[in-house]
Amino acid sequence: MKTWPRALTGAIFMALTMCGGTCAAAADAVRVLATTYPVYLLTSEVTRSCPGVHVDLLIPAQTGCPHEYALSPRDMRKLAEAQIVVINGLGIESFMEHAMANLKNVTIIDSSANVAVLQAVHHHGHASHIHGVNAHAFTSPMQAAAMARTIGKALAKASPDAAGISLATAEAYAQRLEALGKRLATLGTRAKNKNVVLLHDGMAYFVRDADLHLAAVIQENEDVQPSAARLLELIRQCKEHRPALLIGEAQYSDKPLRVLAAETAIPVVLLDSAASGPKDAPSGYYEHVMEKNCQLLEQHLGNN
């Protein structure tokens, strides 16, 4: 991934900031920029009934978690035009810390301000694991509900004209997400075997929602395949403790899971973390993804 020198990044940003009205979108629209795809989905849903709010996504929708992402000139232009920037928080935005330091007269909304944070299973200095914090709270419908409420309240405060609509829409959306979380929790209470293995800890929040026990994480770093020694140890553990399921994510290779499954006969399921997806996602897209995840777990764990 190409990295822009710090001095050049600052110069580009200052130049774009000074371009004024020629860079701006319609003057009567509140310009909101979401840094990552899950935050974009939540913010778009919260503002669905606000015609005076324009929501854009900073990085490409297929990027996923932007651990090594480098801002492009187009990204810098989006930042320069934004009036409100909604971030995931919990360390994910470390790739844009310098650019954010140069933002002037921009409201920053930290959507993770009220989430119940999990610690990262492994800590290797990754951007999403600052101080051992798991930054993937968006994979939990319950935590996404908290994020939606935070976004709605902050947008209402920053843009009073849309206050009533934002708050009402955010609350209704949060309640739908919480209903999904409660459905997941009942799944865990019914499962005889609650032990699962994750490809990496990105879905740990979802597992917590489902009242399941995280027995092991295969990859310490989601971008690096596990070593042969690590796989052998996991095979031994799985044969000894017999977890109910091996869980991967549609966004990543399932090769390590298939190796374990071939050696242990433990079933594999691929869930969608909603870390990436279509830019033109329809209304309710996040809910649809999480409901499908729930259905997959119900199919695999309902009778174990």
Side-chain angles (χ1 to χ4, degrees):
M1 185 76 67
K2 182 176 181 181
T3 302
W4 294 86
R6 181 177 293 264
L8 179 58
T9 300
I12 293 174
F13 184 81
M14 292 303 294
L16 291 172
T17 303
M18 293 173 64
C19 74
T22 59
C23 289
D28 57 348
V30 178
R31 298 184 299 279
V32 180
L33 185 65
T35 55
T36 58
Y37 187 69
V39 175
Y40 172 73
L41 292 178
L42 298 179
T43 305
S44 296
E45 204 67 42
V46 166
T47 61
R48 188 72 63 178
S49 300
C50 303
V53 178
H54 174 75
V55 180
D56 198 4
L57 173 61
L58 177 63
I59 66 178
Q62 292 297 324
T63 302
C65 291
H67 301 307
E68 306 298 333
Y69 189 78
L71 293 171
S72 69
R74 181 180 180 183
D75 298 333
M76 302 299 287
R77 181 180 295 274
K78 289 181 179 180
L79 280 169
E81 294 174 355
Q83 295 169 306
I84 301 172
V85 176
V86 185
I87 68 172
N88 179 90
L90 302 177
I92 272 188
E93 282 84 9
S94 61
F95 70 95
M96 56 179 291
E97 285 178 352
H98 183 64
M100 288 181 65
N102 286 309
L103 291 176
K104 305 297 182 185
N105 300 317
V106 174
T107 299
I108 306 295
I109 299 174
D110 183 350
S111 65
S112 68
N114 296 302
V115 304
V117 177
L118 281 172
Q119 294 302 111
V121 174
H122 300 282
H123 176 41
H124 289 270
H126 241 253
S128 63
H129 292 169
I130 300 299
H131 304 306
V133 171
N134 186 331
H136 305 87
F138 56 83
T139 65
S140 153
M142 294 299 282
Q143 301 314 310
M147 295 169 73
R149 285 193 177 98
T150 295
I151 293 168
K153 290 176 181 177
L155 284 176
K157 183 177 180 180
S159 182
D161 291 341
I165 300 176
S166 293
L167 287 173
T169 306
E171 182 58 30
Y173 184 44
Q175 290 182 15
R176 297 198 302 271
L177 296 180
E178 286 174 337
L180 259 178
K182 292 174 182 177
R183 175 181 170 182
L184 274 172
T186 61
L187 169 70
T189 60
R190 295 195 308 266
K192 295 178 182 178
N193 184 352
K194 298 174 66 169
N195 295 319
V196 297
V197 173
L198 289 181
L199 180 62
H200 57 79
D201 70 350
M203 293 297 288
Y205 286 94
F206 188 86
V207 166
R208 182 177 68 179
D209 274 9
D211 193 29
L212 299 174
H213 176 248
L214 181 53
V217 172
I218 297 173
Q219 295 181 202
E220 296 182 350
N221 182 323
E222 59 200 57
D223 300 318
V224 179
Q225 294 289 307
S227 66
R230 174 65 178 157
L231 285 174
L232 287 172
E233 173 59 20
L234 286 166
I235 290 170
R236 184 194 66 77
Q237 292 179 13
C238 287
K239 286 181 176 179
E240 179 179 353
H241 300 293
R242 302 304 304 175
L245 207 57
L246 306 174
I247 300 177
E249 295 177 42
Q251 287 86 352
Y252 298 97
S253 169
D254 65 350
K255 183 177 179 180
L257 296 168
R258 299 301 173 186
V259 171
L260 286 180
E263 294 293 332
T264 65
I266 297 171
V268 172
V269 63
L270 296 182
L271 304 182
D272 188 339
S273 67
S276 61
K279 173 68 184 299
D280 57 347
S283 177
Y285 180 79
Y286 177 87
E287 291 171 81
H288 172 74
V289 166
M290 292 301 159
E291 184 173 11
K292 185 175 180 181
N293 287 341
C294 185
Q295 290 171 349
L296 286 170
L297 283 188
E298 287 170 341
Q299 292 168 13
H300 284 85
L301 296 175
N303 298 311
N304 72 8

